Amino acid sequence: LLAAANPNYVRFDLYQPLSKQIDMPPVLLSRFDLIFTMIDKPEKEADRNLAKHIINAHALGEIIKNGESAEGEDFKEFKADIELNLLRKYISMGKRINPKLTEAARKKFEEFYIGLRSLYDGDNTVPVTARQLEALIRLGEARARTRLSTKVTQEDAERVINLVNYCLKTVYAVSY
C-alpha cells in the first residue's frame, strides 16, 4: 500500500516530527512498514530538469499515441537501462523465492524489536507492536528476494533495521 499525506500547515516543519504534522492517529501510522517524507524545496536547476522531463514525457505519450517513432535527444532519457523482458524475468524469479531467516537475522530482528519496545515510557506515542516485528521480517525477505537469495542474512537484517530506524527518526523523532 502506498499512501500520501500533506502536512497540516501546508509545508513540513523540519524541526518537528512528522507524526505531529499530519492529522493521522498513531494507530493508523503504525500500519505502514516504512514512511518517508518528501520535501519540495524550490531549486531552479532541479525545477528546470523536472519541467523538461514532464514536458518530454507528455510529448512522448502523444507521439506513441499517434503511432509515430520517438527518436532524438529529448527522448533518450526514457530508454530503459534494463530490457523489459529481462526485468520481467528477474521479478518473476524473485516472486518464486521464499527466503528463510538465518539465525543471525532472527537475532538482529529480535534485539531491535525488544529495544524498540523498551523505548516506550507511558507518555511516548510511538506505537511498537508485534506488527512492527512482522514488518521487519517482510522487509528482510523482500531484500533477500532482490538478491534472488533463499536466505535472509544478517546483512539483510542490518540494512532493514537501518531503514526502519531512519523512518522512525523522521516520523517520531526516535531511533534505537
Side-chain angles (χ1 to χ4, degrees), residues 37-150:
T37 55
M38 295 176 56
I39 298 174
D40 182 20
K41 294 180 182 176
E43 295 177 32
K44 197 169 196 166
E45 192 59 32
D47 292 344
R48 183 177 316 285
N49 290 339
L50 180 60
K52 284 180 181 179
H53 177 80
I54 291 171
I55 290 167
N56 287 342
H58 181 77
L60 179 61
E62 292 297 320
I63 288 170
I64 291 170
K65 195 173 9 176
N66 292 331
E68 300 170 24
S69 175
E71 301 295 326
E73 194 68 22
D74 289 342
F75 304 116
K76 76 175 184 178
E77 69 179 290
F78 295 99
K79 180 110 170 95
D81 291 335
I82 299 173
E83 181 188 325
L84 187 57
N85 197 31
L86 178 62
L87 182 60
R88 283 187 179 126
K89 287 178 183 177
Y90 171 75
I91 292 169
S92 176
M93 285 180 70
K95 285 181 175 181
R96 284 187 249 150
I97 295 172
N98 188 20
K100 305 289 183 252
L101 294 172
T102 61
E103 190 57 40
R106 287 173 190 238
K107 194 98 175 126
K108 282 284 182 191
F109 287 150
E110 181 181 319
E111 289 171 10
F112 181 69
Y113 173 72
I114 291 169
L116 277 181
R117 294 278 294 174
S118 71
L119 292 177
Y120 183 79
D121 63 8
D123 296 329
N124 194 338
T125 60
V126 180
V128 179
T129 65
R131 191 187 179 301
Q132 277 66 44
L133 180 57
E134 291 170 347
L136 291 170
I137 295 167
R138 276 193 303 276
L139 292 166
E141 290 170 344
R143 185 168 191 281
R145 280 188 191 98
T146 63
R147 296 183 302 100
L148 302 179
S149 174
T150 59

Side-chain angles (χ1 to χ4, degrees), residues 19 22 24-35 125-135 138 168 171-172:
S19 59
I22 57 175
M24 193 178 292
V27 172
L28 186 56
L29 275 176
S30 74
R31 295 282 187 213
F32 295 97
D33 292 348
L34 299 171
I35 299 174
T125 60
V126 180
V128 179
T129 65
R131 191 187 179 301
Q132 277 66 44
L133 180 57
E134 291 170 347
R138 276 193 303 276
L168 286 170
V171 177
Y172 299 105

